[in-house]
Every structure is written in structure tokens, then in C-alpha cells.
Amino acid sequence: MSPHEIGLYASAAVVVGVGLRTLVLAGSGAGGPAAGGPSAGGPGEVLAVVRTALARRPWATFALFAVMAVMAVVQYAVPAVVEDLMRQPDALHDGQWWRAGTALLVQSSGLVQIAFNLPALLMIGAVAETVLGWWRTLAVFLVTGVLAHVVSLAGWAPRGGGDSVAVCGLLGALAVTCLRRGNLGGPGLKADWYLLLVPAAAVFLCALRNNHGAGLLAGCLLGLVLVPGATSGPGSRTAAA
């Protein structure tokens, strides 16, 4: 295994591991029972947080999931759709800029990508919507997803498609939002220091020219810009209105 591959797998492990803990922290609210705890991010805690988020009926997330689910069926019923919508080499040069958007709609690696990306979208999107609100969730998903595919078309990964880059964007925005609302000058940073691994992983992945790093980093930046500073916990729906 090459150093490049080792770096990619290590970054993926960090993003997944810290991402699960981020969901628990975001869904529980700052100071909640699971926030910053050593076991935060366990399967039971994650499922409980996701169930609570889904019970709040995150309609924007449901809409995104429905679109992706329909497109998953379509791409198997009409395989040519994948080639028609995914990223293609020289697409920007040929004026096919629209592929930066349509590439979000198809999972070019097939069933494995579908099986991972759709549940991830539902879980992370539902929690993100309770924290960020519906329009910020849509904005982060679309902006980070399109930006990551633009970077890919520009040379990082000219061929492919999928919405995982946008899901990474939602995770980045969640992590930074939790950091901003965790009293970073005091004990909050000491308890939740692991959230800093998300932007660190984003920068590292970008250095490796991996498009997930672009989505993750863009999400972190949008977490700074879109979400107003708040003193309430990240689970506060009032702050995300």
C-alpha cells in the first residue's frame, strides 16, 4: 500500500470516527449527556440522535434523499444516465459546466456507493437540518457538492459522480458549528478538541487532491459564514431558524 493510499484511508477513518461523535454532540446539544464524553459516538447514541432528528421531520433532507433514491433506481433502469450526468474528462473545456451539478445525482461506483451514500445523507442531513435549519442544509449540500465537482472536473478527478462530497460538506458545517457554539476559549475546546480533526482532515485530503477534502473544507467554511454565532447549544432549533 502506497503512502498516498495510507493517507486516504487514515483520513477516511478520522472523518467517519469523528463524524459519528459530531452527530451525537450536535444532536444532544452542548453540555448534553453525550457531549464530549469518551464514549460519544457509540452505535446506540448515534441511532438515538438520528431517530430524534428524523422524528422532527427534516423535510429538506427527506426531499434530498427522495431525489437520490429515485435517481439510484433510474441509473439501474437506464444505465446510460450515469455517463450522461457524471463528470467527464475535458467537460469544462467542452462547455459542459453543468456536469458539476448533475454529477451529484448519480453514483458512478454503483451499488456500493449507493448503499453508503444514501444512508449517510439521511443520517447526517437529518441532524444537520435540526442544527442548521432547512435552507442552510440545502445551501451547504448544494454549494459544497457543486464546488467539489468543479474542483474534480478541473483536474483532481475528472471522471466520476456521487453525492458523498456534499454529505462531507454537511459534516464539516456541523463540526464547525459545534465548535463555534462550544465556548472555544474555555472548557468547551478542551472537551471537544476532536472536532478540530475535521478541518484538519479536510486540509490533508485537499493536499492529496481528493475531492472529498474540497467538500469537507467548503462545509467547514460555510459553518463559519452561514450559521450566526450563538451561545445556546448546537441542538437549539431557535438558533437555526
Side-chain angles (χ1 to χ4, degrees), residues 22-97:
T22 300
L23 290 183
V24 173
L25 177 61
S28 301
S39 62
E45 291 174 305
V46 173
L47 289 176
V49 165
V50 171
R51 280 198 300 266
T52 299
L54 291 173
R56 293 179 177 177
R57 298 178 181 177
W59 294 115
T61 298
F62 288 159
L64 288 172
F65 181 83
V67 169
M68 297 303 169
V70 169
M71 288 305 301
V73 174
V74 169
Q75 77 174 63
Y76 271 93
V78 187
V81 167
V82 178
E83 289 288 333
D84 290 341
L85 300 182
M86 67 187 286
R87 301 187 310 271
Q88 298 284 4
D90 297 323
L92 292 181
H93 182 266
D94 295 338
Q96 298 179 18
W97 52 267

Side-chain angles (χ1 to χ4, degrees), residues 8 16 22-23 50 58 80 88 111 120 141 159 199 229 233:
L8 284 178
V16 172
T22 300
L23 290 183
V50 171
Q88 298 284 4
L111 188 59
F141 182 90
R159 182 176 175 81

Side-chain angles (χ1 to χ4, degrees), residues 2 27-28 57 89 137 174 199 217 230 241:
S2 69
S28 301
R57 298 178 181 177
T137 298
L174 266 181
L217 184 59

Side-chain angles (χ1 to χ4, degrees), residues 84-137:
D84 290 341
L85 300 182
M86 67 187 286
R87 301 187 310 271
Q88 298 284 4
D90 297 323
L92 292 181
H93 182 266
D94 295 338
Q96 298 179 18
W97 52 267
W98 45 268
R99 288 186 183 271
T102 59
L104 283 169
L105 299 174
V106 292
Q107 316 296 332
S108 58
S109 296
L111 188 59
V112 172
Q113 198 174 6
I114 291 171
F116 182 84
N117 287 354
L118 265 66
L121 170 59
L122 189 61
M123 293 172 61
I124 296 175
V127 176
E129 193 166 342
T130 65
V131 176
L132 307 176
W134 70 270
W135 73 266
R136 293 186 184 94
T137 298

